C-alpha cells in the first residue's frame, strides 16, 4: 500500500464565497514518488479545546459549553467542526490542494459558539482522513486511504474573525422557532419598525426593568452538556 502523509500548511477566508467559507491548504505526500491518478478523500475536522489555554473572558464564555472551570478535566472533549469531501487530481510524489469548508454563524452549533468565544491566539484543530486512492504506473490499482491518517493544525483566530466580518460585519446571529418568528414579524409590522435591531430594542424597552428569575444552574449545565455532546458526534 502507498504510504500517504497529510500536512495542513495554511488557511484563509474566501472573500468571494456566497456564505462564510474557510479554505485550508493541504499538502499530500505519497511514498517513493508513487504515481497517484486521483484521491477521493473524506476529511473530518475536529476542534480539540484541551490543547490551548484560555483567558478569563474566554473561560466565562465557554461555561455554556463545558461547564465550570473546575470540571474541564472531564468536559473539555473534542467538538465536531466539519466533514467535507475532497477530490485530489493526479500527481507524483507530492501535491497541494484546497479543502473548502462552508461554515455557519449559528451560535446554537457548538463549534461556532466555541470559535466565536475565542478572542485571540489559535484554535487547535485536527484533520482526519479516509477514502480511496487510485495509484500505479502501468494501469492503476485501487487502495484505501488508512482511516488513522491525520494532520493537526492551529488555525489563527483572526482568520475566523475575518471570515465572519466579511459576511456579518459588526453583527451577531440568533435562531428562534417559527412561531416566535411569526410573532416577531407581526410585532414589527404592527409598529412599522424599520429593522430587526429596532424591533428587538422596542421589545427590550417594553420589557423595561422587569426582573427575570435566573435559570437553575444544574438544569442549564445538563442541557448545554447535551448540546455539546450531540454536536461532537
Amino acid at each position: 500500500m502507498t504510504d500517504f502523509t497529510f500536512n495542513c500548511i495554511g488557511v484563509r477566508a474566501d472573500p468571494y464565497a456566497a456564505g462564510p467559507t474557510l479554505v485550508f491548504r493541504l499538502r499530500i505526500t505519497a511514498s517513493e514518488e508513487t504515481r497517484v491518478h486521483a484521491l477521493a478523500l473524506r476529511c473530518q475536522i475536529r476542534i480539540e479545546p484541551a490543547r490551548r489555554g484560555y483567558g478569563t473572558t474566554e473561560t466565562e464564555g465557554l461555561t455554556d459549553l463545558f461547564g465550570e472551570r473546575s470540571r474541564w478535566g472531564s468536559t473539555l472533549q473534542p467538538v465536531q467542526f466539519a466533514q467535507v469531501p475532497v477530490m485530489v487530481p493526479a500527481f507524483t510524489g507530492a501535491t497541494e490542494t484546497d479543502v473548502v469548508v462552508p461554515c455557519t454563524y449559528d451560535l446554537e452549533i457548538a463549534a461556532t459558539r466555541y470559535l466565536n468565544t475565542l478572542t485571540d491566539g489559535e484554535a487547535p484543530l485536527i484533520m482526519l482522513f479516509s477514502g480511496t486512492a487510485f495509484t500505479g504506473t502501468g494501469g492503476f490499482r485501487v487502495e484505501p486511504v488508512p482511516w488513522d491518517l491525520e494532520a493537526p493544525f492551529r488555525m489563527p483566530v483572526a482568520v475566523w474573525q475575518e471570515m465572519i466580518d466579511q459576511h456579518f460585519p459588526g453583527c451577531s446571529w440568533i435562531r428562534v422557532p417559527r412561531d416566535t418568528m411569526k410573532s416577531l414579524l407581526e410585532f414589527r409590522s404592527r409598529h412599522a419598525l424599520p429593522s430587526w435591531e429596532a424591533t428587538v430594542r422596542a421589545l427590550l424597552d417594553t420589557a423595561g426593568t422587569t426582573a427575570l428569575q435566573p435559570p437553575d444552574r444544574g438544569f442549564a449545565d445538563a442541557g448545554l452538556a447535551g448540546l455539546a455532546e450531540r454536536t461532537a458526534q
Side-chain angles (χ1 to χ4, degrees), residues 2-193:
T2 305
D3 183 18
F4 289 101
T5 302
F6 296 91
N7 290 288
C8 185
I9 59 176
V11 64
R12 70 180 190 276
D14 187 347
Y16 306 109
T21 302
L22 292 173
V23 182
F24 293 86
R25 192 64 176 171
L26 185 67
R27 181 171 178 80
I28 305 170
T29 304
S31 59
E32 300 178 354
E33 297 294 315
T34 300
R35 175 63 177 170
V36 179
H37 300 285
L39 278 176
L41 296 175
R42 292 182 296 275
C43 176
Q44 181 181 158
I45 305 176
R46 294 180 182 175
I47 300 170
E48 296 194 314
R51 290 175 50 210
R52 65 158 280 170
Y54 301 93
T56 302
T57 301
E58 293 172 332
T59 298
E60 293 173 352
L62 293 173
T63 300
D64 285 350
L65 283 178
F66 304 118
E68 298 298 330
R69 184 63 180 262
S70 60
R71 299 171 50 201
W72 282 15
S74 59
T75 63
L76 220 58
Q77 299 298 318
V79 176
Q80 180 82 349
F81 179 44
Q83 186 162 329
V84 295
V86 183
M87 289 299 301
V88 183
F91 68 94
T92 299
T95 189
E96 293 182 8
T97 191
D98 288 337
V99 179
V100 180
V101 180
C103 301
T104 177
Y105 199 28
D106 183 350
L107 296 180
E108 295 295 319
I109 304 300
T112 304
R113 190 183 304 183
Y114 172 85
L115 292 168
N116 187 63
T117 301
L118 303 184
T119 57
D120 55 20
E122 299 169 327
L125 306 179
I126 188 165
M127 306 176 77
L128 308 171
F129 299 94
S130 61
T132 304
F134 302 87
T135 64
T137 304
F140 70 89
R141 63 178 182 272
V142 179
E143 55 183 285
V145 175
W147 62 267
D148 58 342
L149 293 179
E150 59 187 43
F153 180 68
R154 301 189 72 86
M155 180 179 72
V157 173
V159 175
W160 170 268
Q161 295 170 342
E162 175 190 354
M163 178 194 69
I164 295 301
D165 287 341
Q166 287 173 355
H167 296 273
F168 308 102
C171 298
S172 193
W173 190 95
I174 187 171
R175 182 176 65 182
V176 296
R178 290 191 182 94
D179 290 344
T180 302
M181 177 57 71
K182 182 180 178 181
S183 298
L184 287 170
L185 284 167
E186 291 173 351
F187 181 86
R188 178 176 175 176
S189 298
R190 186 164 60 250
H191 295 277
L193 297 166

